Amino acid sequence: MGSVLVVLEVRGGKVRPASMEALGAARTAAELTGGGTVTALATDAAEVDASALGAAGADQVLVANTEQHSSDGAAATAARVAREIGAGAVFLTATIRGRDLLGRIAALLNTGFVPDCIELGAEGGKLHFVRPVFAGKALIRVRINGPVAVASFRPNFFRGAGRSATAAIQKTTAEPGKAVVTGLSGERKGRPDVAEATKIISGGRGMGGPENWHLIEAVADAVPGMATGASRAVVDAGWRPHEEQVGQTGKTVSPELYIAAGISGAIQHLAGMSTSKVIVAINKDKEAPIFQHATYGVVGDVHQVLPKLADELKKASSP
Ligand SMILES: Cc1cc2nc3c(=O)[nH]c(=O)nc-3n(C[C@H](O)[C@H](O)[C@H](O)COP(=O)(O)OP(=O)(O)OC[C@H]3O[C@@H](n4cnc5c(N)ncnc54)[C@H](O)[C@@H]3O)c2cc1C
């Protein structure tokens, strides 16, 4: 198949954990198809850690640092590098940045793409990918007939390769974009990004209002690394920022634990979280659709259940 190019996602100068997972997927892809090399490409200003990227699966890292690289510039750089190294596959993260780049890179390479993959395999030296469709109700297996397989990988499904290897670092030119990013705003500090977190508590309209969000925060504070999410009803009402929205028109999440508090379980919400490993639903209506998808269900009022849950979690996590 040739080598695999992984376009790293960078935020605040740091390579995102989801990119480490994409490197692990790239290593697997290279091994399944005859042992090509894995190249990582940083298109935004990044602190590049050769040993961490090497351990995750990269043989070499190309750094095309520009301060504010727009999506079209980053895609043009990635497509040029893919051609230069003869990549048989280009992998990205299934995040908002990955979504923005995926189609652009595939178009520039005149090939097809598979978004949001959760499994990877190969037959006869050709890669195939598995991804959820119809809001997670079914899985499809896709193979790309074009010259290069462009795919993005849903966070929390793959792991870095865990090798003891260091990647070689080289510079490469950044292609100019037609659009130029002149500033970034709304960066949220503190809690992890909901798209990458392994534990999430999300609140819905059943929370009653933004003044009750301290109940959600208290549970999140009791569990190290827990992110907070929200349904669209809550985001549309202006109770929470859009970056926390989970679902079809928000972020797709696949944590180990997803707690849905006061969320009914509309299909568009399920589209973003139904691949969570353990789902806990708290809802006062025992007929709420979310219970059909929950591993554990609590029929009760969030005002009573969440403080008790926060207390118990605090006790469990204190030594
Ligand atoms: C094109 C399109 C895209 C969409 N994209 C998304 C998306 O990305 N994400 C998303 O979430 N939605 C999305 N939606 C909206 C979706 O259809 C639902 O309207 C939305 O998910 C409902 O949010 P909710 O569950 O918070 O509110 P509701 O449906 O109003 O549910 C509130 C729940 O809280 C329970 N409740 C009420 N009070 C309490 C209490 N005190 N204690 C416990 N439980 C209580 C109720 O029983 C109810 O089940 C989209 C819709 C469309 C048409």
mmCIF file of all heavy atoms in Angstrom, residues 204-206 230-234 245-250 262-266 268-269 282-285 288 300-303, ligand 1:
data_model
loop_
_atom_site.group_PDB
_atom_site.id
_atom_site.type_symbol
_atom_site.label_atom_id
_atom_site.label_comp_id
_atom_site.label_asym_id
_atom_site.label_seq_id
_atom_site.Cartn_x
_atom_site.Cartn_y
_atom_site.Cartn_z
ATOM 1 N N GLY A 204 -29.419 17.871 29.963
ATOM 2 C CA GLY A 204 -30.428 18.235 28.973
ATOM 3 C C GLY A 204 -31.424 19.221 29.557
ATOM 4 O O GLY A 204 -31.223 19.756 30.650
ATOM 5 N N ARG A 205 -32.519 19.409 28.808
ATOM 6 C CA ARG A 205 -33.545 20.373 29.216
ATOM 7 C C ARG A 205 -34.120 20.040 30.593
ATOM 8 O O ARG A 205 -34.587 20.912 31.313
ATOM 9 C CB ARG A 205 -34.649 20.399 28.149
ATOM 10 C CG ARG A 205 -35.583 21.542 28.319
ATOM 11 C CD ARG A 205 -36.233 22.035 27.051
ATOM 12 N NE ARG A 205 -36.502 21.021 26.052
ATOM 13 C CZ ARG A 205 -36.737 21.297 24.771
ATOM 14 N NH1 ARG A 205 -36.687 22.548 24.351
ATOM 15 N NH2 ARG A 205 -36.987 20.333 23.911
ATOM 16 N N GLY A 206 -34.052 18.759 30.948
ATOM 17 C CA GLY A 206 -34.561 18.328 32.255
ATOM 18 C C GLY A 206 -33.787 18.914 33.420
ATOM 19 O O GLY A 206 -34.229 18.808 34.570
ATOM 20 N N ALA A 230 -23.703 18.647 26.691
ATOM 21 C CA ALA A 230 -25.062 19.193 26.726
ATOM 22 C C ALA A 230 -25.836 18.718 25.504
ATOM 23 O O ALA A 230 -25.248 18.371 24.477
ATOM 24 C CB ALA A 230 -24.999 20.715 26.737
ATOM 25 N N SER A 231 -27.165 18.707 25.645
ATOM 26 C CA SER A 231 -28.006 18.422 24.481
ATOM 27 C C SER A 231 -28.185 19.713 23.681
ATOM 28 O O SER A 231 -27.894 20.814 24.170
ATOM 29 C CB SER A 231 -29.380 17.910 24.933
ATOM 30 O OG SER A 231 -30.107 18.984 25.511
ATOM 31 N N ARG A 232 -28.691 19.575 22.482
ATOM 32 C CA ARG A 232 -28.887 20.765 21.647
ATOM 33 C C ARG A 232 -29.948 21.692 22.223
ATOM 34 O O ARG A 232 -29.843 22.917 22.101
ATOM 35 C CB ARG A 232 -29.272 20.340 20.222
ATOM 36 C CG ARG A 232 -29.552 21.522 19.352
ATOM 37 C CD ARG A 232 -29.578 21.180 17.903
ATOM 38 N NE ARG A 232 -30.225 22.228 17.149
ATOM 39 C CZ ARG A 232 -30.334 22.237 15.843
ATOM 40 N NH1 ARG A 232 -29.838 21.240 15.131
ATOM 41 N NH2 ARG A 232 -30.925 23.210 15.232
ATOM 42 N N ALA A 233 -30.968 21.109 22.863
ATOM 43 C CA ALA A 233 -32.026 21.946 23.442
ATOM 44 C C ALA A 233 -31.411 22.948 24.412
ATOM 45 O O ALA A 233 -31.798 24.120 24.456
ATOM 46 C CB ALA A 233 -33.045 21.054 24.150
ATOM 47 N N VAL A 234 -30.429 22.482 25.165
ATOM 48 C CA VAL A 234 -29.772 23.306 26.170
ATOM 49 C C VAL A 234 -28.882 24.371 25.495
ATOM 50 O O VAL A 234 -28.846 25.523 25.913
ATOM 51 C CB VAL A 234 -28.941 22.351 27.067
ATOM 52 C CG1 VAL A 234 -27.853 23.070 27.793
ATOM 53 C CG2 VAL A 234 -29.858 21.614 28.023
ATOM 54 N N GLN A 245 -21.929 20.756 22.862
ATOM 55 C CA GLN A 245 -23.078 20.001 22.320
ATOM 56 C C GLN A 245 -22.670 18.637 21.776
ATOM 57 O O GLN A 245 -21.746 18.519 20.980
ATOM 58 C CB GLN A 245 -23.761 20.794 21.212
ATOM 59 C CG GLN A 245 -25.037 20.105 20.714
ATOM 60 C CD GLN A 245 -25.689 20.868 19.585
ATOM 61 O OE1 GLN A 245 -25.800 22.088 19.642
ATOM 62 N NE2 GLN A 245 -26.115 20.154 18.565
ATOM 63 N N VAL A 246 -23.410 17.634 22.209
ATOM 64 C CA VAL A 246 -23.191 16.262 21.748
ATOM 65 C C VAL A 246 -24.338 15.897 20.812
ATOM 66 O O VAL A 246 -25.494 16.137 21.140
ATOM 67 C CB VAL A 246 -23.164 15.298 22.960
ATOM 68 C CG1 VAL A 246 -23.129 13.841 22.500
ATOM 69 C CG2 VAL A 246 -21.974 15.611 23.862
ATOM 70 N N GLY A 247 -24.014 15.310 19.663
ATOM 71 C CA GLY A 247 -25.082 14.867 18.777
ATOM 72 C C GLY A 247 -24.789 15.142 17.324
ATOM 73 O O GLY A 247 -23.687 15.565 16.962
ATOM 74 N N GLN A 248 -25.815 14.925 16.526
ATOM 75 C CA GLN A 248 -25.697 15.012 15.064
ATOM 76 C C GLN A 248 -25.101 16.336 14.610
ATOM 77 O O GLN A 248 -24.292 16.375 13.697
ATOM 78 C CB GLN A 248 -27.094 14.840 14.471
ATOM 79 C CG GLN A 248 -27.148 14.750 12.976
ATOM 80 C CD GLN A 248 -28.585 14.578 12.519
ATOM 81 O OE1 GLN A 248 -29.333 13.762 13.068
ATOM 82 N NE2 GLN A 248 -28.990 15.341 11.538
ATOM 83 N N THR A 249 -25.535 17.435 15.214
ATOM 84 C CA THR A 249 -25.012 18.740 14.813
ATOM 85 C C THR A 249 -24.044 19.291 15.859
ATOM 86 O O THR A 249 -23.716 20.467 15.856
ATOM 87 C CB THR A 249 -26.178 19.730 14.579
ATOM 88 O OG1 THR A 249 -27.137 19.565 15.626
ATOM 89 C CG2 THR A 249 -26.839 19.510 13.251
ATOM 90 N N GLY A 250 -23.576 18.414 16.741
ATOM 91 C CA GLY A 250 -22.560 18.779 17.726
ATOM 92 C C GLY A 250 -21.387 17.836 17.588
ATOM 93 O O GLY A 250 -21.009 17.469 16.479
ATOM 94 N N GLY A 262 -31.298 14.252 32.529
ATOM 95 C CA GLY A 262 -32.395 15.076 32.019
ATOM 96 C C GLY A 262 -32.369 15.220 30.519
ATOM 97 O O GLY A 262 -32.723 16.260 29.969
ATOM 98 N N ILE A 263 -31.938 14.156 29.843
ATOM 99 C CA ILE A 263 -31.893 14.129 28.367
ATOM 100 C C ILE A 263 -32.856 13.038 27.901
ATOM 101 O O ILE A 263 -32.811 11.911 28.409
ATOM 102 C CB ILE A 263 -30.450 13.835 27.874
ATOM 103 C CG1 ILE A 263 -29.545 15.021 28.213
ATOM 104 C CG2 ILE A 263 -30.424 13.517 26.384
ATOM 105 C CD1 ILE A 263 -28.095 14.854 27.805
ATOM 106 N N SER A 264 -33.714 13.367 26.919
ATOM 107 C CA SER A 264 -34.765 12.416 26.545
ATOM 108 C C SER A 264 -34.240 11.256 25.704
ATOM 109 O O SER A 264 -34.771 10.148 25.759
ATOM 110 C CB SER A 264 -35.877 13.144 25.770
ATOM 111 O OG SER A 264 -35.342 13.768 24.625
ATOM 112 N N GLY A 265 -33.176 11.512 24.901
ATOM 113 C CA GLY A 265 -32.647 10.446 24.043
ATOM 114 C C GLY A 265 -33.177 10.535 22.628
ATOM 115 O O GLY A 265 -33.456 9.511 21.990
ATOM 116 N N ALA A 266 -33.313 11.776 22.116
ATOM 117 C CA ALA A 266 -33.732 11.969 20.717
ATOM 118 C C ALA A 266 -32.668 11.354 19.806
ATOM 119 O O ALA A 266 -31.486 11.314 20.151
ATOM 120 C CB ALA A 266 -33.868 13.460 20.421
ATOM 121 N N GLN A 268 -31.192 12.408 17.290
ATOM 122 C CA GLN A 268 -30.055 13.284 16.946
ATOM 123 C C GLN A 268 -29.051 13.369 18.090
ATOM 124 O O GLN A 268 -27.882 13.621 17.863
ATOM 125 C CB GLN A 268 -30.544 14.692 16.591
ATOM 126 C CG GLN A 268 -31.423 14.766 15.361
ATOM 127 C CD GLN A 268 -32.897 14.575 15.675
ATOM 128 O OE1 GLN A 268 -33.281 14.277 16.803
ATOM 129 N NE2 GLN A 268 -33.728 14.740 14.654
ATOM 130 N N HIS A 269 -29.504 13.194 19.317
ATOM 131 C CA HIS A 269 -28.552 13.153 20.440
ATOM 132 C C HIS A 269 -27.840 11.802 20.450
ATOM 133 O O HIS A 269 -26.607 11.746 20.586
ATOM 134 C CB HIS A 269 -29.262 13.392 21.776
ATOM 135 C CG HIS A 269 -28.295 13.561 22.916
ATOM 136 N ND1 HIS A 269 -27.614 14.733 23.141
ATOM 137 C CD2 HIS A 269 -27.825 12.683 23.840
ATOM 138 C CE1 HIS A 269 -26.791 14.585 24.169
ATOM 139 N NE2 HIS A 269 -26.907 13.346 24.613
ATOM 140 N N ILE A 282 -30.287 9.320 33.637
ATOM 141 C CA ILE A 282 -31.063 9.780 34.795
ATOM 142 C C ILE A 282 -32.218 10.603 34.232
ATOM 143 O O ILE A 282 -31.993 11.631 33.574
ATOM 144 C CB ILE A 282 -30.202 10.660 35.736
ATOM 145 C CG1 ILE A 282 -28.933 9.910 36.157
ATOM 146 C CG2 ILE A 282 -31.021 11.103 36.957
ATOM 147 C CD1 ILE A 282 -27.867 10.804 36.770
ATOM 148 N N ASN A 283 -33.437 10.120 34.450
ATOM 149 C CA ASN A 283 -34.599 10.797 33.862
ATOM 150 C C ASN A 283 -35.817 10.502 34.730
ATOM 151 O O ASN A 283 -35.959 9.380 35.215
ATOM 152 C CB ASN A 283 -34.818 10.291 32.430
ATOM 153 C CG ASN A 283 -35.677 11.226 31.620
ATOM 154 O OD1 ASN A 283 -36.825 11.505 31.986
ATOM 155 N ND2 ASN A 283 -35.141 11.717 30.521
ATOM 156 N N LYS A 284 -36.661 11.489 34.922
ATOM 157 C CA LYS A 284 -37.816 11.246 35.806
ATOM 158 C C LYS A 284 -38.942 10.505 35.080
ATOM 159 O O LYS A 284 -39.856 10.011 35.732
ATOM 160 C CB LYS A 284 -38.305 12.552 36.431
ATOM 161 C CG LYS A 284 -38.932 13.542 35.485
ATOM 162 C CD LYS A 284 -39.425 14.748 36.259
ATOM 163 C CE LYS A 284 -40.197 15.666 35.340
ATOM 164 N NZ LYS A 284 -40.630 16.894 35.951
ATOM 165 N N ASP A 285 -38.841 10.426 33.741
ATOM 166 C CA ASP A 285 -39.859 9.709 32.964
ATOM 167 C C ASP A 285 -39.337 8.310 32.617
ATOM 168 O O ASP A 285 -38.421 8.169 31.810
ATOM 169 C CB ASP A 285 -40.154 10.510 31.684
ATOM 170 C CG ASP A 285 -41.098 9.794 30.749
ATOM 171 O OD1 ASP A 285 -41.657 8.747 31.142
ATOM 172 O OD2 ASP A 285 -41.258 10.266 29.597
ATOM 173 N N ALA A 288 -38.800 7.411 28.967
ATOM 174 C CA ALA A 288 -37.905 8.222 28.101
ATOM 175 C C ALA A 288 -37.065 7.297 27.205
ATOM 176 O O ALA A 288 -36.527 6.288 27.679
ATOM 177 C CB ALA A 288 -36.990 9.084 28.973
ATOM 178 N N GLY A 300 -35.601 9.088 38.198
ATOM 179 C CA GLY A 300 -35.622 10.020 39.320
ATOM 180 C C GLY A 300 -35.367 11.438 38.860
ATOM 181 O O GLY A 300 -35.061 11.689 37.688
ATOM 182 N N ASP A 301 -35.492 12.350 39.813
ATOM 183 C CA ASP A 301 -35.316 13.777 39.542
ATOM 184 C C ASP A 301 -33.832 14.133 39.659
ATOM 185 O O ASP A 301 -33.192 13.774 40.659
ATOM 186 C CB ASP A 301 -36.142 14.550 40.592
ATOM 187 C CG ASP A 301 -36.241 16.023 40.259
ATOM 188 O OD1 ASP A 301 -35.209 16.621 39.885
ATOM 189 O OD2 ASP A 301 -37.354 16.573 40.371
ATOM 190 N N VAL A 302 -33.315 14.852 38.650
ATOM 191 C CA VAL A 302 -31.881 15.206 38.670
ATOM 192 C C VAL A 302 -31.508 15.973 39.950
ATOM 193 O O VAL A 302 -30.385 15.846 40.438
ATOM 194 C CB VAL A 302 -31.459 16.038 37.430
ATOM 195 C CG1 VAL A 302 -31.423 15.172 36.181
ATOM 196 C CG2 VAL A 302 -32.344 17.257 37.240
ATOM 197 N N HIS A 303 -32.448 16.749 40.484
ATOM 198 C CA HIS A 303 -32.148 17.545 41.684
ATOM 199 C C HIS A 303 -31.869 16.655 42.894
ATOM 200 O O HIS A 303 -31.126 17.031 43.780
ATOM 201 C CB HIS A 303 -33.306 18.507 42.002
ATOM 202 C CG HIS A 303 -33.498 19.521 40.923
ATOM 203 N ND1 HIS A 303 -34.358 19.315 39.876
ATOM 204 C CD2 HIS A 303 -32.890 20.701 40.704
ATOM 205 C CE1 HIS A 303 -34.300 20.345 39.062
ATOM 206 N NE2 HIS A 303 -33.406 21.213 39.546
HETATM 207 C C1 LIG B 1 -31.444 18.452 12.226
HETATM 208 C C2 LIG B 1 -31.437 18.299 13.729
HETATM 209 C C3 LIG B 1 -30.233 18.170 14.369
HETATM 210 C C4 LIG B 1 -30.186 18.003 15.766
HETATM 211 N N1 LIG B 1 -28.971 17.861 16.393
HETATM 212 C C5 LIG B 1 -28.950 17.609 17.705
HETATM 213 C C6 LIG B 1 -27.711 17.391 18.385
HETATM 214 O O1 LIG B 1 -26.621 17.469 17.822
HETATM 215 N N2 LIG B 1 -27.747 17.108 19.710
HETATM 216 C C7 LIG B 1 -28.923 17.037 20.418
HETATM 217 O O2 LIG B 1 -28.873 16.779 21.635
HETATM 218 N N3 LIG B 1 -30.103 17.263 19.798
HETATM 219 C C8 LIG B 1 -30.137 17.576 18.477
HETATM 220 N N4 LIG B 1 -31.332 17.841 17.893
HETATM 221 C C9 LIG B 1 -32.513 18.067 18.752
HETATM 222 C C10 LIG B 1 -33.197 16.790 19.220
HETATM 223 O O3 LIG B 1 -34.160 16.387 18.270
HETATM 224 C C11 LIG B 1 -33.895 17.029 20.569
HETATM 225 O O4 LIG B 1 -34.798 18.106 20.428
HETATM 226 C C12 LIG B 1 -32.952 17.351 21.719
HETATM 227 O O5 LIG B 1 -31.921 16.378 21.780
HETATM 228 C C13 LIG B 1 -33.748 17.330 23.029
HETATM 229 O O6 LIG B 1 -32.902 17.726 24.071
HETATM 230 P P1 LIG B 1 -33.218 17.229 25.545
HETATM 231 O O7 LIG B 1 -33.212 15.754 25.617
HETATM 232 O O8 LIG B 1 -32.301 17.991 26.443
HETATM 233 O O9 LIG B 1 -34.670 17.827 25.820
HETATM 234 P P2 LIG B 1 -36.089 17.120 25.898
HETATM 235 O O10 LIG B 1 -36.357 16.288 24.708
HETATM 236 O O11 LIG B 1 -37.051 18.203 26.237
HETATM 237 O O12 LIG B 1 -35.948 16.118 27.128
HETATM 238 C C14 LIG B 1 -35.831 16.515 28.462
HETATM 239 C C15 LIG B 1 -35.881 15.246 29.307
HETATM 240 O O13 LIG B 1 -35.654 15.597 30.639
HETATM 241 C C16 LIG B 1 -36.524 14.834 31.463
HETATM 242 N N5 LIG B 1 -36.719 15.613 32.681
HETATM 243 C C17 LIG B 1 -37.431 16.754 32.862
HETATM 244 N N6 LIG B 1 -37.295 17.205 34.109
HETATM 245 C C18 LIG B 1 -36.485 16.323 34.751
HETATM 246 C C19 LIG B 1 -35.968 16.240 36.069
HETATM 247 N N7 LIG B 1 -36.249 17.186 36.989
HETATM 248 N N8 LIG B 1 -35.190 15.182 36.387
HETATM 249 C C20 LIG B 1 -34.904 14.210 35.474
HETATM 250 N N9 LIG B 1 -35.364 14.242 34.215
HETATM 251 C C21 LIG B 1 -36.126 15.288 33.860
HETATM 252 C C22 LIG B 1 -37.793 14.669 30.643
HETATM 253 O O14 LIG B 1 -38.503 13.525 31.073
HETATM 254 C C23 LIG B 1 -37.214 14.522 29.235
HETATM 255 O O15 LIG B 1 -37.002 13.170 28.910
HETATM 256 C C24 LIG B 1 -31.399 18.002 16.505
HETATM 257 C C25 LIG B 1 -32.622 18.133 15.840
HETATM 258 C C26 LIG B 1 -32.644 18.284 14.470
HETATM 259 C C27 LIG B 1 -33.979 18.406 13.779
#
